[in-house]
Amino acid sequence: MTSNSTNSPTLQSEATAAVHLLDDWFDPIEAGLRDRVREFIQVMIESELEAALSRPRYGRRPKTPDENAERPSGITGHRHGHRSRSLLGTFGRVEIALPRARLDTAEGKTTEWRSTALRAYQRRTRQADSLIAGAYLAGTNTRRVRRALTAVFGGAVGKDTVSRVWRKVKADWDAWNARSLAEEPIVRLILDGTVVRVRLDRKATSIVLLVVLGVREDGQKVLLAVKNMGGETSQAWRAVLDDLVKRGLRQPEFLIVDGGTGLEQALAALWGDVPTQRCTVHKHRNLLAHAPPRLHDEVSADYNDMIYAASPAEIEQRRRAFLRKWRLKCKAVADSLEEAGDRLFTFTRLPPSQWKSARTTNAIERLHEEFKRRIKTQTVLPSAETAAMLFWALLASGQITMRKVDGWQSLTQKLADNPIDLAA
């Protein structure tokens, strides 16, 4: 029977050559360094055991006080062989002959000696775990890490190892969620929900993560909370805010919100007297949703002329013009603008240098875009908690950085007393 193969001998030989492309990239410095690692680790652990027993290998046991009152008594014990231990580090995988010893206790019993340098059951160095976690956070999914880190670890890292390293991050995540906020000089909060895809009951489902960013007195943005609470209801937002207050967060001086009903209700009950800015980008989307597609460009042009005017007086003038025009042309658009009230223009009470950063919740939107870029290789995350933890870890590891808000130099200035005149 004739075989009709689509792979020609030439293509197969090229593929074979590609597989072994890096095999000849021998580095004598790396090879020599890794050969000495095993020796160095074993000497370090042997020295630690010698210090614990107060004598070198094959050395005599120190005399007791009865035998020599001038010399202090050392810890007594005895060696009893070695055991093999595999250790993975940035130097690759090495097999170590770990010394063993039994130490005498005050109760007349013995206990197994434990090295402080190489912890019990430790199979990877902290630096190796950090490198694996960093590769994962940089956008490499668990199945691709082995290929990405083959040159460093010699193919010793698989997806299961990455998963185990990632689970170790949870301890830091839990500590971060419980940390005190009493010393955080937060003056402004930015609050919004972001939608991510996760796997629930073996099905891909969209969930909402509630995100709270704080702005310190020096203008630096900092993540305060990211939680999955089952939605954006007032109860969900109130639970997030109450937790922040319980951990010492002081009342902010300014709030920036997305305009969701649940968040508005939660903030009104907790900080009803704090000046609040409704995101102008979210309101822009609301206006377009109330207008037919043929009018979208015109609505956008008029809205942007109003929002990005240079002074409060110009904003008042253009708002009145916007309402007069769109009450006649598309009343639903005018009604949607009036629904926002003065909260859409609270930013005008700030110094003009802060207007750009105070108009919108774009700081959270930008984080969401970076988050989506990071999880592009995974598409669907395994759980809701993993999604929240990954969002935090990208910031904690430095994969995503946040700069200071625009106009931070004037954050200490007080807000103007009166918002713009809404009389149309």
Side-chain angles (χ1 to χ4, degrees):
M1 181 179 292
T2 303
S3 175
N4 297 321
S5 174
T6 57
N7 295 329
S8 67
T10 303
L11 292 177
Q12 290 178 356
S13 63
E14 289 178 356
T16 302
V19 171
H20 302 290
L21 175 62
L22 305 181
D23 285 356
D24 294 333
W25 288 24
F26 175 75
D27 189 334
I29 297 177
E30 286 279 353
L33 205 58
R34 295 188 183 194
D35 286 343
R36 299 299 299 272
V37 165
R38 180 187 297 103
E39 177 186 345
F40 173 78
I41 295 174
Q42 292 188 176
V43 169
M44 180 175 64
I45 297 176
E46 287 282 358
S47 299
E48 184 182 0
L49 179 55
E50 288 178 6
L53 295 175
S54 302
R55 69 181 188 276
R57 192 175 185 183
Y58 305 120
R60 291 179 178 274
R61 180 180 300 177
K63 293 181 179 180
T64 63
D66 294 337
E67 296 173 306
N68 189 348
E70 296 180 358
R71 294 183 58 187
S73 175
I75 299 175
T76 60
H78 62 276
R79 296 171 181 266
H80 63 108
H82 293 75
R83 65 171 177 269
S84 178
R85 172 77 73 84
S86 177
L87 182 66
L88 180 66
T90 55
F91 41 78
R93 186 181 293 280
V94 296
E95 294 293 331
I96 304 166
L98 189 67
R100 304 181 67 183
R102 300 291 298 181
L103 304 180
D104 298 331
T105 65
E107 295 79 16
K109 299 181 180 180
T110 62
T111 181
E112 184 75 14
W113 172 77
R114 301 290 186 185
S115 170
T116 57
L118 186 61
R119 303 183 309 277
Y121 306 110
Q122 181 181 355
R123 294 296 181 265
R124 294 177 305 277
T125 64
R126 294 181 186 273
Q127 192 64 30
D129 283 350
S130 175
L131 185 58
I132 294 169
Y136 178 72
L137 291 171
T140 305
N141 63 26
T142 55
R143 294 182 181 274
R144 296 180 181 175
V145 165
R146 179 169 185 169
R147 282 175 283 174
L149 298 179
T150 292
V152 177
F153 296 124
V157 174
K159 65 182 183 66
D160 293 336
T161 302
V162 180
S163 298
R164 286 193 294 271
V165 171
W166 178 242
R167 285 194 292 271
K168 285 187 175 181
V169 177
K170 190 177 185 305
D172 293 336
W173 160 252
D174 292 337
W176 181 81
N177 276 313
R179 76 199 187 286
S180 172
L181 300 174
E183 301 301 321
E184 284 283 7
I186 301 298
V187 296
R188 181 179 298 179
L189 291 184
I190 308 171
L191 307 99
D192 199 358
T194 184
V195 179
V196 297
R197 299 277 288 174
V198 301
R199 188 177 293 108
L200 296 177
D201 296 329
R202 299 183 179 180
K203 293 183 180 179
T205 307
S206 295
I207 65 167
V208 178
L209 296 179
L210 305 185
V211 183
V212 181
L213 288 184
V215 179
R216 294 182 177 135
E217 292 175 347
D218 62 355
Q220 180 60 53
K221 295 190 288 287
V222 57
L223 183 67
L224 296 179
V226 52
K227 292 181 179 295
N228 167 44
M229 303 298 292
E232 291 191 82
T233 64
S234 60
Q235 294 86 353
W237 272 113
R238 186 60 191 266
V240 173
L241 295 173
D242 285 345
D243 178 65
L244 294 176
V245 172
K246 181 180 178 181
R247 290 191 280 126
L249 180 69
R250 66 189 187 189
Q251 179 173 305
E253 299 172 5
F254 194 82
L255 299 169
I256 306 174
V257 301
D258 62 352
T261 303
L263 177 56
E264 295 271 5
Q265 293 174 350
L267 290 174
L270 183 62
W271 295 318
D273 57 343
V274 176
T276 302
Q277 169 64 40
R278 186 164 173 177
C279 178
T280 57
V281 172
H282 283 77
K283 175 46 67 176
H284 183 201
R285 296 170 187 163
N286 294 153
L287 296 182
L288 296 182
H290 287 87
R294 60 184 175 82
L295 296 178
H296 282 188
D297 290 343
E298 190 174 355
V299 171
S300 296
D302 292 346
Y303 181 78
N304 289 335
D305 284 345
M306 171 184 61
I307 292 298
Y308 297 105
S311 67
E314 289 184 36
I315 291 177
E316 291 177 8
Q317 179 183 357
R318 294 181 186 183
R319 179 183 178 277
R320 288 193 291 268
F322 185 98
L323 291 174
R324 284 196 300 269
K325 174 181 177 179
W326 289 101
R327 277 174 182 157
L328 298 174
K329 200 162 189 175
C330 184
K331 189 173 183 299
V333 173
D335 290 344
S336 180
L337 181 67
E338 286 188 302
E339 177 271 332
D342 61 356
R343 289 196 166 196
L344 191 63
F345 306 99
T346 310
F347 70 89
T348 60
R349 298 174 59 185
L350 299 170
S353 62
Q354 297 182 37
W355 285 11
K356 181 179 179 180
S357 62
R359 288 190 189 101
T360 70
T361 60
N362 278 356
I364 293 178
E365 296 288 344
R366 282 193 291 269
L367 286 182
H368 185 208
E369 290 301 319
E370 286 293 321
F371 180 75
K372 288 196 298 183
R373 181 191 63 79
R374 159 60 191 84
I375 65 173
K376 192 174 182 180
T377 57
Q378 292 180 261
T379 308
V380 179
L381 294 170
S383 69
E385 184 180 30
T386 298
M389 189 165 64
L390 181 57
F391 198 102
W392 159 79
L394 289 170
L395 285 164
S397 66
Q399 297 286 341
I400 297 177
T401 57
M402 293 187 291
R403 62 180 180 84
K404 293 184 177 182
V405 297
D406 293 316
W408 61 269
Q409 297 88 344
S410 58
L411 279 176
T412 56
Q413 295 184 24
K414 293 185 178 180
L415 277 69
D417 293 332
N418 299 318
I420 66 170
D421 183 8
L422 296 183

